[in-house]
Amino acid sequence: MNFITVINTYNRPAELVLRCLNASLNQKVPSQKIILIDQNIEALNLPEGLSTNPLIIRTRTNKKSVSAARNTLVIPENTEWIFFCDDDGFPCDDYSEKLKNIISENPTLDILAGSIVREDNKEYYTLRHDKGGSLKSFRNTKNLMGSNFVVKAKVFNELGRFDEKFGAGSLWGSSEETDFCWKAYFAGKKMEFFPELIVYHVPPFNESVEDGFEKAFKYGVGKGALVSKWLFKKKKFKVTYELMEMITVPFIQSIRGLITLKFGLIATNFASLTGRLYGMIKYLLTTK
């Protein structure tokens, strides 16, 4: 198995990035290269032991979005697989061993999605990973998260990499990994979710209601735009499932918050729903 690890970083505390790099270096099945895509205005300060390590390649880019930065990746010759990992997470100790075994047992796979686990309590970071489910089913495609997935290098290129209008820092602000997964799904690529491929992640921050509202709205805009792209522009009618879910879930959660008098829950779900509807309509009106 020949693979590279790709980590992009922007405005992240150095200790988190160093932890990710060290965890990647300490894998028993080593990466061919560990590529750090540095989006910071001033280059991240790396200790000499890392900056001079021949396995680590640091590239610099002024791209502001995650998707655009990842698209600058120059894939080394003979690379078979690419492992994408977030800079505020780090792979479990035996990640590469598990990956090697999975690929050996499933030689026809094109894409593997792993799980995100909180580093503090070892619980799944998101409910969707707790529930699990095969990527063969469209309803489970959101199990692929940009902070932990592995893709064949040739498939990454075949699919046209990421749509740079999606993702943090982009026009629509989120959903680049789901957009990529849907490209793979509708292209008939073989994908699966493996919860044992763990990336540990810092726990969610305790946000104020105002910050939570703003974040939920921004993420909602991206999701709404994504649904418009695939349902209305590309005529993929399976995405109707996502349309129904993105409207009903925040509505139900808002009712729940009203009953339990959790006004923060009401606010964030109202923001999420509003953002989704806004993003969906704006995409329809502004995109050819």
Side-chain angles (χ1 to χ4, degrees):
M1 179 187 66
N2 194 332
F3 78 104
I4 60 172
T5 299
V6 178
I7 304 157
N8 59 291
T9 184
Y10 181 63
N11 283 348
R12 196 73 72 185
E15 59 268 21
L16 293 182
V17 184
L18 299 184
R19 183 178 64 172
C20 184
L21 288 170
N22 284 318
S24 301
L25 281 170
N26 291 333
Q27 295 293 312
K28 291 183 180 178
V29 180
S31 301
Q32 177 188 3
K33 292 292 180 181
I34 298 170
I35 300 177
L36 178 67
I37 302 175
D38 191 342
Q39 298 174 248
N40 295 292
I41 296 174
E42 294 184 7
L44 184 73
N45 186 26
L46 296 177
E48 185 176 351
L50 293 179
S51 61
T52 59
N53 191 307
L55 275 182
I56 297 177
I57 299 175
R58 189 227 296 263
T59 63
R60 301 273 287 134
T61 179
N62 59 4
K63 304 289 187 181
K64 297 305 180 186
S65 73
V66 171
S67 53
R70 285 181 167 179
N71 281 355
T72 65
L73 174 66
V74 177
I75 303 173
E77 189 176 356
N78 299 321
T79 299
E80 296 176 275
W81 294 90
I82 304 168
F83 165 39
F84 286 104
C85 183
D86 267 7
D87 56 351
D88 56 350
F90 61 97
C92 60
D93 293 341
D94 56 353
Y95 190 102
S96 63
E97 292 174 278
K98 291 176 179 175
L99 179 61
K100 181 179 180 180
N101 290 336
I102 290 169
I103 290 173
S104 177
E105 294 168 3
N106 302 272
T108 62
L109 281 177
D110 297 307
I111 299 173
L112 301 83
S115 62
I116 310 298
V117 173
R118 289 176 52 154
E119 63 174 306
D120 56 345
N121 59 15
K122 302 302 184 286
E123 294 179 355
Y124 288 113
Y125 193 84
T126 173
L127 182 60
R128 71 184 68 154
H129 282 174
D130 191 26
K131 292 180 177 179
S134 172
L135 296 184
K136 294 184 182 73
S137 172
F138 179 78
R139 69 188 302 268
N140 295 323
T141 50
K142 287 185 295 182
N143 278 336
L144 187 148
M145 299 182 70
S147 46
N148 179 15
F149 79 99
V150 182
V151 57
K152 281 183 177 176
K154 66 177 183 179
V155 170
F156 184 55
N157 285 331
E158 283 173 11
L159 293 174
R161 303 193 172 197
F162 294 102
D163 184 337
E164 296 184 9
K165 293 181 181 178
F166 289 90
S170 71
L171 173 64
W172 298 110
S174 68
S175 301
E176 83 285 356
E177 69 269 71
T178 304
D179 178 72
F180 181 80
C181 189
W182 288 359
K183 279 199 289 187
Y185 179 88
F186 290 116
K189 300 301 181 183
K190 293 179 171 59
M191 306 184 291
E192 196 49 88
F193 173 60
F194 296 94
E196 64 266 38
L197 292 175
I198 297 172
V199 163
Y200 291 107
H201 197 281
V202 293
F205 298 108
N206 291 322
E207 299 173 312
S208 66
V209 173
E210 183 179 350
D211 288 341
F213 186 96
E214 182 179 357
K215 183 177 180 180
F217 181 83
K218 286 181 177 179
Y219 273 70
V221 169
K223 187 166 187 174
L226 180 71
V227 167
S228 269
K229 173 183 175 178
W230 285 95
L231 180 58
F232 302 119
K233 296 293 185 180
K234 292 184 174 289
K235 310 298 184 185
K236 300 298 183 182
F237 296 109
K238 277 192 176 183
V239 181
T240 304
Y241 170 85
E242 186 68 22
L243 173 64
M244 299 303 295
E245 184 185 71
M246 82 172 198
I247 293 173
T248 57
V249 170
F251 179 78
I252 292 170
Q253 288 291 83
S254 295
I255 297 298
R256 178 170 162 245
L258 186 63
I259 293 171
T260 58
L261 300 180
K262 293 181 179 179
F263 298 108
L265 186 64
I266 298 172
T268 53
N269 278 281
F270 176 76
S272 181
L273 179 58
T274 304
R276 292 171 183 184
L277 294 175
Y278 174 79
M280 185 171 63
I281 295 169
K282 185 176 179 181
Y283 189 93
L284 284 173
L285 295 177
T286 60
T287 306
K288 295 182 180 180

